[in-house]
Amino acid sequence: MTSRLPSLSKFTAPSLVLVCLLLANACASAPTRPPVSIGSGQARVDPVTGQPLAPDAIIAEETTQGSVRGDGGLTPPFMVGKDVKRAAVLLPFSHPAANVRAEAEAMLAGIELALFENGGTDFLILPKDTGGRASTAEARADEAVKEGADIILGPLFGTEVTPVKDAVNRDQIPVIAFSNDRLVAGGGGYLASVMPEEEVVRIMGYAASRGTRTFAFLGPDTAYGRQVETAMRAEAAKNGWSVIGAGFYDPSSSASSEVSRVASLIKSERSQVGLLIPERGTKLLSIAPLLVVNGIDPGRTRFLGTSLWDDAAIWREPALAGALYSAVDPDNMTTFKDTYKRIYGRAPTDLAAAAYDAAALAITLASENNMKHGGVTDPDGFMGVNGLFRFRLDGTSERGLAIKEIRQSGASMVEKGVTRFPPGGS
């Protein structure tokens, strides 16, 4: 991690308008057969913005009520005559929900950090407030086109992605969005979030390589739970593995009846079963011991999870001993987390890390004069704080996730994420 770090200050209130003109130039090397490193480190904080490290870095604030806007196409005097590249950042800074506004500010902080760490004087970001509304996001995308944006970072919600893509497609501007809804991917839009489907593929593949080829599902009856269960069935069908059943419970009530039913299915199986449980926190801590009470033999059933399990609060539960889950490779993330916390005073969110990577990718492509769809979908991929990733032509992302095992001492990595993709794309 570079030691070149910005001095940061906080706004006095979330309602202040942020109009940032932040500059950076990529320091990563040009593409080679190994993936391009796009950051110097390894995805809900109070509003923050950076103070300049050098006279070239400009930050301005306005107090117009209720919006965060770009610079209206302004080119700072010291940029005149340079080949300036612009990235519009479309996030819901004025969303009605406080936690969403905080997430947007955390993501902007991640983008700022990527810009400052990669230094320079020919890259400009244009933050724009979508409010979380599709119509507003479309209008902001139209503005970004008029202001000369070369790439769009955002929006956050799936409902905003298609209108933004439609607004910029005629100009062939790539959209790197942060939704995890694969239905809105493609058509010029790429999803930078770590997709649940990628986590499912990784954990099932690892389990199968260790002899577990029969699977079951137990999870919440939510959009996320259904997304994970669908991915599990698709991956099993693709590889000829078995799925013996699934149990969905109301996330607001006890899961005991579904736990009992799924336990009965597993106990009737002769082969080892991998039980995928995409749950978190106290709910997971109630489900895991209940499975054991219902007669699940940990020696014949391997509990499997997603990145929701990357939480020290659950690791001491005895029923989860030996359980496996997929997550971002910690080797790539540690430095980013430490730096972000030192600068901003709080831990980064998962989406702050995704935003960092998206900004670092844009900076890298700008340095190569390749802020185009072909640059975004480089089959060799990129190495960011979330590890190795590349965008498929359908707009989804492929990632080099790690596998962790829960042990008495905590979660230990048992298999690192890959550091190079096979040739030819995916």
Side-chain angles (χ1 to χ4, degrees):
M1 173 67 73
T2 177
S3 60
R4 189 184 183 205
L5 301 173
S7 171
L8 299 153
S9 63
K10 296 184 179 180
F11 286 129
T12 57
S15 61
L16 287 183
V17 173
L18 174 64
V19 181
C20 297
L21 306 180
L22 294 168
L23 318 169
N25 196 16
C27 63
S29 59
T32 59
R33 288 308 87 196
V36 176
S37 176
I38 58 170
S40 55
Q42 193 332 350
R44 297 159 177 77
V45 298
D46 290 334
V48 288
T49 185
Q51 296 295 331
L53 277 178
D56 292 340
I58 293 182
I59 295 173
E61 298 178 17
E62 290 182 356
T63 55
T64 305
Q65 183 66 30
S67 66
V68 178
R69 301 292 299 276
D71 72 329
L74 171 68
T75 299
F78 62 85
M79 281 187 170
V80 173
K82 295 183 179 180
D83 184 17
V84 179
K85 303 299 182 182
R86 294 172 172 83
V89 178
L90 275 58
L91 292 173
F93 298 106
S94 67
H95 193 276
N99 64 323
V100 175
R101 295 195 302 271
E103 182 69 82
E105 294 290 354
M107 295 171 71
L108 183 58
I111 290 170
E112 289 179 351
L113 182 56
L115 294 173
F116 278 117
E117 287 189 337
N118 292 294
T121 60
D122 57 1
F123 195 95
L124 185 69
I125 69 166
L126 310 173
K128 294 181 177 294
D129 178 29
T130 70
R133 296 179 295 273
S135 59
T136 305
E138 182 179 16
R140 298 293 86 81
D142 284 335
E143 288 178 3
V145 172
K146 294 174 183 177
E147 294 169 8
D150 299 283
I151 196 167
I152 306 292
L153 305 182
L156 177 58
F157 299 117
T159 54
E160 301 172 288
V161 175
T162 297
V164 169
K165 289 189 301 184
D166 291 345
V168 304
N169 265 352
R170 185 173 61 182
D171 296 274
Q172 292 294 300
I173 298 174
V175 176
I176 301 181
F178 301 103
S179 168
N180 67 358
D181 181 359
R182 66 187 300 122
L183 295 178
V184 301
Y190 309 92
L191 303 185
S193 300
V194 180
M195 303 292 290
E197 289 84 358
E198 287 297 302
E199 297 180 350
V200 171
V201 168
R202 180 68 169 108
I203 191 61
M204 290 181 71
Y206 181 84
S209 72
R210 268 62 181 173
T212 301
R213 296 181 176 86
T214 299
F215 298 91
F217 175 92
L218 178 63
D221 190 5
T222 61
Y224 173 75
R226 294 284 177 180
Q227 186 176 5
V228 170
E229 192 265 352
T230 298
M232 181 193 74
R233 289 189 181 276
E235 188 64 10
K238 175 183 174 182
N239 292 281
W241 304 330
S242 299
V243 175
I244 60 173
F248 291 92
Y249 52 82
D250 183 341
S252 64
S253 61
S254 171
S256 57
S257 61
E258 286 303 301
V259 168
S260 177
R261 190 176 69 82
V262 170
S264 296
L265 288 173
I266 293 174
K267 287 186 290 185
S268 67
E269 279 294 311
R270 293 181 179 272
S271 58
Q272 187 178 66
V273 175
L275 177 58
L276 183 58
I277 313 173
E279 190 52 274
R280 69 168 81 227
T282 55
K283 194 72 170 184
L284 179 60
L285 291 175
S286 69
I287 289 173
L290 193 56
L291 284 162
V292 177
V293 170
N294 277 268
I296 292 295
D297 179 2
R300 295 185 57 250
T301 303
R302 181 62 68 91
F303 295 163
L304 307 176
T306 64
S307 60
L308 295 181
W309 288 19
D310 206 23
D311 175 7
I314 70 169
W315 295 340
R316 293 186 180 181
E317 168 53 52
L320 290 174
L324 299 166
Y325 65 93
S326 53
V328 170
D329 193 322
D331 286 352
N332 300 302
M333 182 62 76
T334 300
T335 303
F336 168 73
K337 284 184 174 180
D338 290 346
T339 303
Y340 187 105
K341 187 172 184 179
R342 184 170 63 251
I343 293 171
Y344 293 95
R346 299 187 185 184
T349 64
D350 292 342
L351 285 174
Y356 178 102
D357 276 353
L361 170 58
I363 295 164
T364 297
L365 296 180
S367 73
E368 300 164 358
N369 197 29
N370 195 23
M371 296 176 78
K372 304 172 183 177
H373 293 289
V376 174
T377 56
D378 184 340
D380 295 323
F382 306 90
M383 184 63 75
V385 300
N386 269 325
L388 180 65
F389 71 98
R390 64 180 173 186
F391 290 111
R392 301 182 178 97
L393 295 179
D394 68 3
T396 61
S397 61
E398 181 179 4
R399 293 188 174 271
L401 299 174
I403 297 294
K404 291 184 177 181
E405 181 177 4
I406 297 177
R407 299 172 180 170
Q408 188 174 10
S409 59
S412 299
M413 186 165 60
V414 293
E415 187 169 278
K416 290 179 59 64
V418 297
T419 57
R420 187 176 299 189
F421 287 120
S426 57

